Amino acid sequence: EVIESTLELLAPTAYQKRLELVRMIPPETPLQLRGDPLRLRQVLTNLLSNAIKFTESGSVSIEVNTQAQDERDVGLSFIVNDTGIGIPESEVTQLFTAYARGRISTRHHVEGTGLGLAICKKLLDLMGGEIHVTSKVGKGTRFGFQLHFRLQKNAVHRPQLASRPRVLLYDTHPLSNQAWRSCLARMGAEVRVIDDLEAADTLQADAVMISLSERDLSQLLELQHRLPSTLPPTLVLAPRIERQALRHLSEALYRRVLSKNAREKTVHLELQSLLQTALKQESNARAVSHRTPVTPPTDAALVLVADDNRINRRLLVTMLNQAGFRTAEAATGLELLDLAARGVWHAALLDIHMPGLDGIETAARLRSTYGESVAPIIAMSADVMPDIRNQATQGLMDDFLMKPFNEQQLVDLLRQHIDRHERRTRAKRLKT
């Protein structure tokens, strides 16, 4: 909590400078301690903000390691590393002297009195700790300190992901990769690191976590093509903090997106939600697949189904056939437009997030082509963002189905809209 809240405060500055901001806490580290959170946060804030201030490219990290532990107490080391400009050896001895800013600070036009490190040393002295520093000009600086804490009695067990899921991790930055491996292991996941997104869909896994670098974001179009449509449930982490930027990325990648500085509890909740949704979909698919195939009558209503996920698409087709609808399926928006042009159809089910032409663009083209006489268009999405739902239902779509939905919801909604559309069509004919 102390480390995450500190990084949350400093992340905007770090990401504005395109720096990797990493927290590395091994899964076995005890996290519920008795100590002084206010003073610890004060020390960490000063060291991390200095590291960000003096680093123009690369990374800033905070690493926590267990030094010694018994039944009552634990000794932890805290290390703040950066890849910044470094400190000349002649100035290192003056760092913890009040008002000694040093020539390097003046040379790089950094504001401040030089009191911060002196205060850090005083606070650590009072808490029974000591601070040390190593640095190399042009390479970076490493500040470290050790503190002893009393272990909390009756510590609450951290929530675990259900059933020890297999999670694939893609992260090209070594420090960040190590940090997320530890994080996922602490949540109870079985982690496998991958360095090839294209091959991810060939590996058996329950979920995928993709941690993006600035380079990945600068080549977003290429990244879109590298993401297989058949990936397991996928959570993307991006070096951004603005909600609008994260929303745009979610829409571009057709995946759930969080900031890379998201708290571990938030990452856990998102992964758990993704896994539970996938489990429900698999359960529905198994139940439907065991039914006897049904061939609807030739005069039954024709429903066009567009979803880039083959399993989801087959599940929808099976459910609709069982309910007495004829179906025509498409993996993309362009394929659905081609199906629509071949003859009369009575409704369209469009997944919002599809590669190429997405559901919203497909709906816009259908309305442009058929005008007021267009058959009902219903959006489908697991995206819970209000903007997606509003965009889908304001004029383009007739309704919105939130995934996962059950068969009865789907059939009732389709029949309602098809019946309403037929009544309107008959009324127009009578008028003419």
Side-chain angles (χ1 to χ4, degrees):
E1 181 70 19
V2 171
I3 290 173
E4 287 180 339
S5 61
T6 304
L7 292 178
E8 229 171 34
L9 179 71
L10 301 173
T13 308
Y15 291 156
Q16 189 174 18
K17 297 179 75 172
R18 304 293 189 259
L19 301 176
E20 283 282 342
L21 190 58
V22 181
R23 58 177 185 258
M24 291 192 290
I25 307 173
E28 65 276 7
T29 307
L31 299 178
Q32 299 180 56
L33 313 170
R34 293 178 63 189
D36 191 332
L38 177 63
R39 302 301 185 273
L40 177 59
R41 183 181 284 109
Q42 196 172 345
V43 173
L44 289 175
T45 300
N46 192 284
L47 295 180
L48 285 163
S49 62
N50 275 349
I52 293 168
K53 187 187 301 183
F54 287 104
T55 304
E56 295 305 319
S57 64
S59 63
V60 170
S61 66
I62 166 71
E63 182 178 354
V64 182
N65 287 298
T66 304
Q67 297 298 306
Q69 183 176 349
D70 56 31
E71 292 181 354
R72 296 180 58 195
D73 302 285
V74 63
L76 296 181
S77 71
F78 297 79
I79 299 168
V80 175
N81 261 314
D82 67 59
T83 57
I85 57 177
I87 305 167
E89 189 176 347
S90 58
E91 295 184 17
V92 168
T93 55
Q94 302 297 316
L95 283 176
F96 302 107
T97 304
Y99 304 107
R101 280 182 57 193
R103 295 188 304 277
I104 196 163
S105 302
T106 308
R107 191 161 63 247
H108 287 268
H109 309 290
V110 175
E111 296 180 0
T113 60
L115 270 174
L117 290 175
I119 292 172
C120 285
K121 186 178 187 309
K122 182 65 174 176
L123 290 173
L124 290 169
D125 286 344
L126 292 170
M127 290 191 287
E130 57 182 33
I131 189 168
H132 51 85
V133 58
T134 58
S135 186
K136 191 171 183 179
V137 174
K139 298 293 184 181
T141 303
R142 175 187 180 97
F143 281 91
F145 61 91
Q146 293 81 37
L147 286 174
H148 285 272
F149 299 89
R150 182 66 52 88
L151 293 169
Q152 284 279 14
K153 294 180 181 178
N154 305 316
V156 180
H157 290 292
R158 297 181 66 81
Q160 298 282 289
L161 295 168
S163 305
R164 191 165 172 75
R166 291 162 299 182
V167 179
L168 302 180
L169 172 64
Y170 175 83
D171 192 334
T172 57
H173 192 282
L175 287 180
S176 178
N177 191 309
Q178 180 184 340
W180 288 117
R181 280 206 314 273
S182 294
C183 173
L184 290 168
R186 189 161 38 248
M187 294 180 193
E190 181 185 325
V191 188
R192 177 171 178 177
V193 175
I194 58 172
D195 55 12
D196 182 2
L197 280 175
E198 292 88 334
D201 61 340
T202 65
L203 302 172
Q204 286 194 338
D206 299 300
V208 179
M209 180 185 282
I210 298 173
S211 177
L212 299 182
S213 65
E214 281 294 338
R215 184 175 180 276
D216 291 323
L217 288 183
S218 67
Q219 299 174 346
L220 192 58
L221 190 59
E222 180 189 332
L223 181 65
Q224 286 173 316
H225 293 306
R226 289 168 58 204
L227 283 174
S229 60
T230 54
L231 272 181
T234 303
L235 177 62
V236 178
L237 303 170
R240 294 287 183 273
I241 56 165
E242 307 86 357
R243 288 188 177 181
Q244 193 59 44
L246 295 172
R247 185 177 294 118
H248 288 331
L249 279 170
S250 178
E251 292 169 358
L253 297 173
Y254 323 117
R255 300 287 189 273
R256 292 198 197 179
V257 178
L258 288 177
S259 172
K260 287 181 82 166
N261 80 303
R263 298 195 181 202
E264 192 168 302
K265 181 167 66 175
T266 304
V267 175
H268 171 269
L269 290 172
E270 283 293 333
L271 275 176
Q272 190 65 48
S273 171
L274 282 169
L275 290 165
Q276 287 173 347
T277 300
L279 199 61
K280 287 179 184 176
Q281 289 173 338
E282 286 176 14
S283 177
N284 290 339
R286 282 195 298 270
V288 170
S289 66
H290 285 93
R291 298 178 186 175
T292 304
V294 171
T295 303
T298 55
D299 60 345
L302 175 63
V303 180
L304 308 182
V305 178
D307 194 317
D308 60 309
N309 186 297
R310 184 179 59 83
I311 296 173
N312 289 349
R313 200 166 63 245
R314 292 308 305 159
L315 174 62
L316 286 166
V317 167
T318 305
M319 288 194 298
L320 292 170
N321 290 163
Q322 292 279 346
F325 295 102
R326 289 182 299 134
T327 54
E329 55 183 297
T332 67
L334 287 174
E335 286 182 19
L336 183 126
L337 292 175
D338 181 58
L339 291 173
R342 295 181 187 181
V344 177
W345 49 282
H346 302 88
L349 285 170
L350 304 180
D351 184 37
I352 292 291
H353 296 311
M354 293 186 290
L357 203 66
D358 66 19
I360 291 174
E361 291 170 319
T362 304
R365 291 205 191 181
L366 288 173
R367 293 210 174 272
S368 174
T369 302
Y370 298 97
E372 292 183 2
S373 64
V374 69
I377 305 172
I378 297 172
M380 304 178 295
S381 180
D383 197 330
V384 296
M385 291 183 179
D387 283 3
I388 291 293
R389 185 164 191 153
N390 293 339
Q391 193 176 4
T393 54
Q394 288 177 357
L396 286 179
M397 310 283 196
D398 293 278
D399 219 319
F400 186 96
L401 272 170
M402 177 67 71
K403 295 180 181 179
F405 48 81
N406 61 43
E407 183 174 354
Q408 198 60 51
Q409 288 174 300
L410 171 65
V411 172
D412 288 348
L413 193 65
L414 270 175
R415 284 177 176 157
Q416 171 192 329
H417 281 286
I418 290 174
D419 290 346
R420 185 184 300 163
H421 179 71
E422 287 179 350
R423 288 196 300 271
R424 283 201 305 262
T425 303
R426 281 197 299 270
K428 286 180 183 178
R429 285 175 185 163
L430 289 172
K431 283 183 181 179
T432 57

